[in-house]
Amino acid sequence: TRGTALASATEIMRGQATDVGLFGGVLQDTDGTRIPIAVRATTFFESTNFRLDGAQPQQINLPAKSSIAGVYQGYLIATLQEAWRGHPQGALIAYPLSETGSENPNVTVLFAPNPRQSIEGVSITHDAIIVAGYENVRGRLLRIARNGNSWATTNIALPENGSVAMAGSSPTESQAFAVFEDYLTPDTLYALDQRATRARSLRSLPAQFDSSPYISEQFEAVSADGTRVPYFVLHRRDMPFNGQNPTLLHAYGGFQVSNTPAYSPNVGKLWLDRGGVYVMANIRGGGEFGPAWHQAGLRTHRQVIYDDFYAVERDLVERRITSPRRLGIMGGSNGGLLMGVMLNQHPEMINAAVVQ
């Protein structure tokens, strides 16, 4: 309790030395009700959740691979990173808070992404659940609201072919904020007005380079197992497809991190303005198409990630965007390990590599 000695604190629960961590937090409902919780992370992607508003911690009935998004009008809102009780992997679900300790809660699937969709973030306002997600790596916002005994889903209109993320919301406020950007558009703040049913542009960061000569295009390569792997190409509108364009190919491919369209003054001023072509590959290991896209490349299946990257290299050459003589690759951290693999497996495809 604030104002008392730490020695007087009461231990609520304790994790194991092998845990990733034990974290406390608070969920707030739309009527202002606050529910303290604890999250015990046993691995990087697996956790157990507990309510702390009773005499003893009560485990919340969710699978190990799931994430609590919040509380909305008396319902627990969560995303599933694994299939659970007949509900699909990647889905957004809701069930009554009164059933968090039940062995068989009455679960409603609010949104089930298809194989080319994903959920990147979930925010809760007083009137609705706002889902920031992607369809074929192109951002969109969904509004999900409860009307009586049913749920209604609508789209919130935003510019296409970019990234979208929530920038501010509260379960006790109707208004919320989102940020949109793409490879050629700086971060732009939008207000989601009138109970978050429409988006109104408020302000944008200043442009750092002249984007008018350039275009962002999306292509797909076919990996060794037949999987379609999307990638974005930024280039001059008048670029000749002659195989002679200096091209920088970037990727990450890990930890369910999505490489979505992002404005970069460095790419614009220091690469595009100097005649370069910039490519971002959305290979497996990332989260562009939900948890299954990430899990496809785990442990002994990591070769599919490298095959995806190699497929993009080949596709760039086959489309005559560039050639091995003009192709460089770059990645950091997990992407740096990827670059090391590509240097060893397919050195014939590149003329330069930045291993960060």
Side-chain angles (χ1 to χ4, degrees), residues 13-294:
M13 59 184 300
R14 180 183 294 251
Q16 301 295 320
T18 54
D19 291 347
V20 171
L22 179 63
F23 311 98
V26 176
L27 302 177
Q28 187 175 28
D29 204 346
T30 53
D31 64 358
T33 300
R34 297 166 64 86
I35 302 171
I37 66 167
V39 180
R40 180 190 171 199
T42 51
T43 71
F44 196 83
F45 290 104
E46 296 175 306
S47 60
T48 306
N49 303 279
F50 299 86
R51 290 181 64 159
L52 304 179
D53 54 346
Q56 297 292 330
Q58 180 193 64
Q59 184 171 331
I60 297 173
N61 191 357
L62 284 171
K65 292 182 179 179
S66 63
S67 300
I68 294 177
V71 176
Y72 170 73
Q73 295 187 6
Y75 282 80
L76 182 75
I77 310 300
T79 56
L80 302 179
Q81 280 78 59
E82 62 177 310
W84 182 59
R85 296 179 177 269
H87 309 302
Q89 182 184 46
L92 178 70
I93 65 167
Y95 70 77
L97 274 172
S98 58
E99 300 180 16
T100 54
S102 170
E103 293 184 3
N104 188 28
N106 183 25
V107 174
T108 298
V109 175
L110 302 180
F111 175 61
N114 68 35
R116 305 300 279 185
Q117 296 175 327
S118 67
I119 296 173
E120 285 289 317
V122 179
S123 299
I124 296 174
T125 71
H126 182 265
D127 306 291
I129 302 163
I130 309 297
V131 180
Y134 289 87
E135 183 159 1
N136 205 30
V137 206
R138 297 166 186 264
R140 65 176 189 164
L141 283 180
L142 296 179
R143 180 184 189 272
I144 304 174
R146 184 165 173 79
N147 297 320
N149 294 322
S150 62
W151 299 83
T153 302
T154 55
N155 284 293
I156 301 175
L158 280 173
E160 298 180 350
N161 304 332
S163 299
V164 62
M166 294 300 294
S169 65
S170 167
T172 59
E173 299 289 339
S174 294
Q175 190 177 59
F177 299 90
V179 170
F180 172 89
E181 64 178 312
D182 61 30
Y183 287 114
L184 302 174
T185 304
D187 292 30
T188 304
L189 181 67
Y190 284 82
L192 308 182
D193 293 330
Q194 295 181 347
R195 298 194 174 187
T197 57
R198 66 182 179 89
R200 175 171 56 90
S201 175
L202 296 179
R203 184 170 296 185
S204 175
L205 290 178
Q208 299 294 313
F209 64 98
D210 179 10
S211 64
S212 60
Y214 307 114
I215 188 173
S216 169
E217 294 189 285
Q218 188 183 46
F219 299 103
E220 286 187 343
V222 179
S223 195
D225 62 359
T227 299
R228 294 181 296 124
V229 181
Y231 64 94
F232 289 96
V233 181
L234 278 72
H235 63 87
R236 290 190 63 91
R237 295 177 184 275
D238 58 359
M239 180 191 77
F241 284 73
N242 58 8
Q244 298 303 307
N245 302 293
T247 300
L248 182 61
L249 169 59
H250 188 277
Y252 184 75
F255 295 96
Q256 206 170 321
V257 174
S258 300
N259 282 318
T260 55
Y263 185 81
S264 171
N266 289 337
V267 170
K269 291 292 290 184
L270 304 181
W271 188 244
L272 296 180
D273 281 357
R274 297 186 179 191
V277 175
Y278 184 77
V279 181
M280 176 63 76
N282 301 115
I283 59 179
R284 279 174 285 185
E288 287 86 348
F289 298 129
W293 193 249
H294 160 65

